[in-house]
Amino acid sequence: MGSTGMAGMAVGVGLPHNLPGVDGPALLEWATRAERLGFHSLVTTDRLVYRGHESLVTVAAVAAVTSRIQLLTGVLIGPVHSNTALLAKQTASIDALSGGRLRLGLAVGARPDDYAASGLRPDGRGAALDRQIDELRRIWAGERRGIAGPIGPAPVQADGIPILLGGQSAPAFRRVAAKGTGWISGGAGPKAFAGGLAAIRGIHAQAGRPFTGPTAALAYIALGNSAEADADRFVTDYYGFAPPLAAMIRSGVLTTERALRGAAAAYEEMGCDELILVPCGADPRTLELAADAALPVEAPV
């Protein structure tokens, strides 16, 4: 389903739902255009205290206007969605209504304000995510029942919705090994991806089993005539709460098609199964430029 870039790595694209000022029609047109161009997936990021559209609502909306492209939350801040039964029902509904196209990316998040706005404390969020993953799978399997029966609908995918876990820390790597279907690396670049993958493989090897993935990595892109300005604006606004992180992210934004091709080749060489291109601007031309640089020539148009 969808397209693969280079010699086999899949290439997905982020939705501009977290960019201030992007309206519904523009967001849906982005989704349908990405599917026509042959991208493998449409991906959302998650942040509560921000001006963008909510991730699960966005996924549901684009599911309704597409038919083939995969859907991925990359990543949802799991513990902030503290009603796990409701989260299980929402995600199973999206999976059923989209014909089994949903993959659920989860992580603990890094912004205390998202927790504060939810009436939650960020300490203990790793343990909360561990419990949430187990509970989601029990609900999807029909093992947790209310008075009138199971919490449905059931996901279309026979083994439940795949859970890809995000994070670049040692606890996150251990969680991938213990509970995840796969791993999503943040936008820190190919070397950080390779280091994380090596750590996860090492944890699996100690347990006597290989890590088979899948793996995904985020890479921020800003292409076209306003690429540098778009990258500056987005990174300053979105990551301004942590200036050192903002500087690191900004240095890795891919602002030319040549840089994008090089990064895609590097990620594939490092063993990445899917590269997700996250836009810093909402100009639809970005999709065409990214497709020309990262998708194979036989991709549908």
Side-chain angles (χ1 to χ4, degrees):
M1 181 180 295
S3 175
T4 56
M6 310 300 291
M9 182 179 67
V11 180
V13 66
L15 286 154
H17 70 110
N18 254 337
L19 298 176
V22 176
D23 61 18
L27 187 61
L28 299 182
E29 171 57 26
W30 181 282
T32 57
R33 184 175 299 200
E35 183 171 69
R36 289 196 303 270
L37 287 167
F39 284 98
H40 178 263
S41 57
L42 289 166
V43 184
T44 60
T45 53
D46 193 29
R47 189 167 174 183
L48 180 59
V49 184
Y50 200 63
R51 300 182 298 280
H53 303 292
E54 196 276 331
S55 181
L56 287 176
V57 172
T58 300
V59 170
V62 301
V65 297
T66 58
S67 60
R68 303 179 307 278
I69 196 166
Q70 292 286 299
L71 308 168
L72 170 65
T73 62
V75 292
L76 204 68
I77 305 170
V80 169
H81 298 260
S82 55
N83 186 333
T84 301
L86 177 59
L87 178 61
K89 190 176 186 73
Q90 290 171 319
T91 50
S93 297
I94 294 172
D95 191 59
L97 293 170
S98 68
R101 289 186 282 143
L102 180 64
R103 291 171 294 160
L104 184 62
L106 293 172
V108 296
R111 302 174 180 88
D113 55 353
D114 288 332
Y115 283 85
S118 304
L120 302 169
R121 294 179 59 86
D123 51 305
R125 62 191 186 272
L129 180 57
D130 290 342
R131 293 191 297 270
Q132 183 175 60
I133 294 166
D134 293 340
E135 186 72 353
L136 284 169
R137 288 182 168 138
R138 284 195 295 269
I139 292 171
W140 291 335
E143 296 170 3
R144 178 180 166 187
R145 304 174 69 87
I147 295 173
I151 300 169
V156 169
Q157 299 176 77
D159 295 328
I161 298 167
I163 295 177
L164 280 69
L165 297 174
Q168 299 286 150
S169 66
F173 299 151
R174 290 193 293 269
R175 184 173 297 112
V176 172
K179 296 182 179 294
T181 307
W183 173 55
I184 302 177
S185 174
K191 290 184 179 179
F193 170 84
L197 181 56
I200 294 168
R201 285 174 170 166
I203 295 169
H204 275 74
Q206 291 174 3
R209 52 192 173 86
F211 176 67
T212 58
T215 61
L218 305 183
Y220 287 103
I221 61 168
L223 303 173
N225 294 334
S226 61
E228 299 295 340
D230 287 345
D232 288 342
R233 185 183 310 109
F234 169 77
V235 173
T236 299
D237 194 45
Y238 199 75
Y239 289 102
F241 70 97
L245 176 61
M248 185 273 290
I249 293 292
R250 178 61 183 90
S251 68
V253 177
L254 307 172
T255 56
T256 67
E257 290 136 283
R258 180 178 179 180
L260 174 50
R261 284 190 291 270
Y267 274 108
E268 184 170 26
E269 184 178 356
M270 298 297 183
C272 183
D273 295 316
E274 180 174 2
L275 180 61
I276 298 158
L277 308 177
V278 182
C280 294
D283 184 348
R285 177 62 180 158
T286 299
L287 285 170
E288 277 78 10
L289 294 173
D292 289 344
L295 295 184
V297 294
E298 67 270 22
V301 294

